[in-house]
Amino acid sequence: MSEEFQARRAEGRRLADRLRSDAAEAGQPLAWFDAFYRAAKGDRAMIPWGHGEPRADLREWLARQSADQKKGQALDVGCGLGDNAALLAASGFEVTAFDISQEAVNWAAGRFGDLDITWRSADLMALPSEWQGAFGFVNETYTLQSLREPFRSEALKALAGCVAAGGRLFILGRGRHDDEPENPPPWPLLVSELAGLKASGLEEESFEDFMVTRNGRDVRHFRAVYHKLG
Ligand SMILES: C[S@@+](CC[C@H](N)C(=O)[O-])C[C@H]1O[C@@H](n2cnc3c(N)ncnc32)[C@H](O)[C@@H]1O
């Protein structure tokens, strides 16, 4: 990362903090995402999660799945700039990718226009009814952690609802044990709330708890996979 890129990344973080807190004060905590993407004016350096490549912990996990497990309909949740959706499409899935921000969706579609991906603007809190039980694979990376209650519980139920019978839900993000401090934002995923997915008909297939070094600090992460009984 050049010094200039780092300076713009820092500016992006400050802008995100300001817009997030203004939106919360205005009683519309989800409204800042679209405003933020618009303010970034197509500059990926401004987007703290704009890595210009798919999430390494998703890519590494996908590489270990069989070709049979990488076909059929996949949903990419909170697609942002679209790198994970592109990876899913390249892996063999038929991908629908959505984000609450139309700006993000336009940006992602522009970057990956050569791929056969359905790009949609949609809110996890009010998903199209035809998505219920429609996806053999649902990918959620780092979106849940940008939401806090009451949205978080609703989002978890919505994610579980999109998974087809026999399908899988992949979750990757910051994690927190129930007795650890929160230090938000983002708001790390709690072990106990993920355990609650069982009530939505999902069985845990794997759960990894690991540290990622960010700016010289160890940050707990969870990578979890759930299976909906057929
Ligand atoms: C931290 S970014 C993560 C982007 C991407 N998934 C990744 O792994 O880099 C969170 C994304 O979720 C989107 N988002 C936030 N709330 C959402 C909601 N209620 N419905 C759909 N997308 C949402 C934001 O616009 C943003 O693009």
Side-chain angles (χ1 to χ4, degrees), residues 13 24 26 30 45 49 60 80 88 98 107-109 129 134 138 142 148 166 169-170 181-183 194 205 225 227:
R13 285 189 205 287
L30 302 185
W49 50 89
E60 183 271 324
L88 294 176
F98 78 98
W107 193 339
S129 56
V138 174
Y142 295 89
R148 61 192 317 193
L169 167 63
F170 177 96
E182 193 177 36
N183 299 329
L194 293 180
E205 188 177 301
V225 182
H227 180 88

Side-chain angles (χ1 to χ4, degrees), residues 26-43:
Q28 293 194 313
L30 302 185
W32 71 275
F33 296 101
D34 198 47
F36 177 58
Y37 281 110
R38 203 171 324 116
K41 297 194 178 90
D43 179 4

Side-chain angles (χ1 to χ4, degrees), residues 57 142 172-173 210-222:
D57 293 309
Y142 295 89
L172 172 68
F210 57 103
M211 293 293 180
V212 173
T213 306
R214 290 265 164 87
N215 305 321
R217 210 166 58 88
D218 280 348
V219 180
R220 187 180 299 289
H221 277 64
F222 294 152

Side-chain angles (χ1 to χ4, degrees), residues 30 33 37 49 55 77-80 84 98-101 104 122-125 141-143 146-147:
L30 302 185
F33 296 101
Y37 281 110
W49 50 89
R55 296 283 178 176
V77 177
C79 64
N84 298 324
F98 78 98
D99 201 284
I100 195 168
S101 163
D123 180 356
L124 194 42
M125 309 303 145
T141 57
Y142 295 89
T143 292
S146 68
L147 305 171

Side-chain angles (χ1 to χ4, degrees), residues 115-179:
L115 297 180
D116 190 11
I117 294 174
T118 303
W119 302 99
R120 289 276 301 266
S121 140
D123 180 356
L124 194 42
M125 309 303 145
L127 293 180
S129 56
E130 67 269 21
W131 288 4
Q132 272 292 314
F135 298 93
F137 185 69
V138 174
N139 178 54
E140 148 42 22
T141 57
Y142 295 89
T143 292
L144 282 171
Q145 67 173 38
S146 68
L147 305 171
R148 61 192 317 193
E149 292 298 1
F151 302 105
R152 186 83 146 245
S153 315
E154 259 191 73
L156 278 160
K157 281 193 202 123
L159 289 175
C162 293
V163 183
R168 298 156 105 193
L169 167 63
F170 177 96
I171 295 183
L172 172 68
R174 292 187 182 213
R176 176 165 80 94
H177 290 273
D178 291 58
D179 58 355

